[in-house]
């Protein structure tokens, strides 16, 4: 009986691995997020908490003291650059024990206002180099060895990069995501021998919410007394490749719990 159960688990793991490999086998280096950025002049229900003053934390302080609490449940501030921390009883397959970095808010290809984010602590077993087309001898830059993270349950067959290199952002003429110190894109500049690979992180797929879906998610979580929480965290925490599944969530939950005592 035990042997049969072990065989079943192994077969299930193999099937899941094959499905994951197939779903990310056709990656390119960058994904156009397909969103027209929002305007601060727009008036939408959820925008009543979408904007806060820029973060002015002292970079010389510790990571924990650089984390800024931005509310919870229906009072949570949601805007590009924040991280949403899931409640302990969140049972959505992807968002369970997750920390979601919100990177875009605006109109999608269908002119619907959406909010997009990536789960920062859901690593795959693959590097970006392994999942990109091309010969191995053309992938000599250190950044090709960066781990690939699964950002959510939506998106096509492309990967996208976030980074904190200001020089690359200037060369690529990319704007910062909120006040996070993080930029999207610029892989062609990162694929050089002198790039600091700790400043970049790769994702495929993302989480997407309509305004009403996000509103419902935040409000509904209040009923159990353990709602979604919004925070600002240092860019190196978002971009860290040291996380296993749920690690960032557990760490941030602990910090927020201590903050609220």
């Amino acid at each position: 009986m035990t042997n049969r159960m072990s065989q079943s688990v192994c077969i299930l793991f193999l099937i899941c691995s094959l499905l994951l490999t197939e779903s990310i086998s056709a990656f390119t280096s960058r994904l156009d997020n397909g969103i027209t950025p929002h305007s601060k002049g727009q008036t939408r229900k959820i925008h009543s908490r979408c904007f806060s003053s820029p973060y002015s934390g002292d970079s010389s302080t510790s990571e924990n003291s650089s984390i800024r609490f931005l509310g919870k449940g229906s009072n949570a501030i949601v805007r590009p650059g924040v991280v949403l921390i899931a409640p302990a009883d969140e049972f959505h397959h992807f968002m369970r024990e997750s920390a979601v970095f919100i990177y875009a808010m605006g109109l999608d290809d269908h002119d619907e206002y959406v909010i997009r984010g990536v789960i920062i602590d859901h690593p795959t077993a693959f590097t970006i180099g392994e999942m990109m087309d091309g010969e191995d001898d053309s992938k000599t830059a250190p950044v090709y060895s960066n781990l690939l993270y699964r950002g959510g349950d939506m998106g096509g067959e492309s990967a996208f990069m976030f980074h904190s290199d200001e020089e690359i952002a200037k060369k690529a003429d990319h704007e910062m995501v909120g006040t996070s110190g993080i930029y999207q894109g610029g892989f062609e500049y990162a694929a050089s021998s002198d790039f600091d690979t700790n400043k970049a992180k790769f994702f495929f797929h993302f989480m997407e919410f309509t305004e009403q879906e996000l509103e419902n998610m935040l409000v509904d979580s209040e009923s159990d007394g353990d709602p979604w929480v919004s925070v600002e965290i240092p860019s190196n925490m978002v971009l860290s490749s040291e996380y296993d599944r749920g690690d960032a969530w557990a760490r941030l939950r602990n910090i927020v719990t201590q903050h609220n005592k």
Side-chain angles (χ1 to χ4, degrees), residues 191-224:
S192 62
S193 59
D194 59 348
F195 177 70
D196 183 354
T197 57
N198 291 319
K199 291 184 176 181
K201 192 168 186 175
F202 293 90
F203 294 88
F204 80 100
H205 290 180
F206 50 83
M207 299 302 302
E208 182 176 285
F209 315 92
T210 64
E211 288 185 279
Q212 193 59 56
E213 286 172 343
L214 185 58
E215 184 79 20
N216 292 343
M217 183 181 83
L218 296 174
V219 173
D220 291 348
S221 67
E222 291 181 319
S223 60
D224 295 325

Side-chain angles (χ1 to χ4, degrees), residues 30-101:
R30 189 172 170 223
L31 170 70
D32 181 351
N33 66 25
I35 283 184
T36 301
H38 65 277
S39 165
K40 290 188 178 181
Q42 291 175 307
T43 55
R44 296 175 182 272
K45 183 179 180 183
I46 201 168
H47 285 187
S48 63
R49 59 163 176 274
C50 282
F51 306 102
S52 71
S53 57
Y55 178 47
S56 57
D58 183 352
S59 60
S60 66
T61 59
S62 68
E63 264 189 0
N64 288 6
S65 62
S66 296
I67 294 172
R68 185 183 181 195
F69 177 75
L70 296 177
K72 56 186 178 180
S74 60
N75 293 316
I77 293 172
V78 180
R79 59 175 176 76
V82 306
V83 172
L84 299 179
I85 307 169
D89 60 355
E90 174 61 60
F91 293 111
H92 184 282
H93 176 64
F94 281 98
M95 293 193 294
R96 178 176 173 271
E97 297 186 354
S98 67
V100 183
F101 174 67

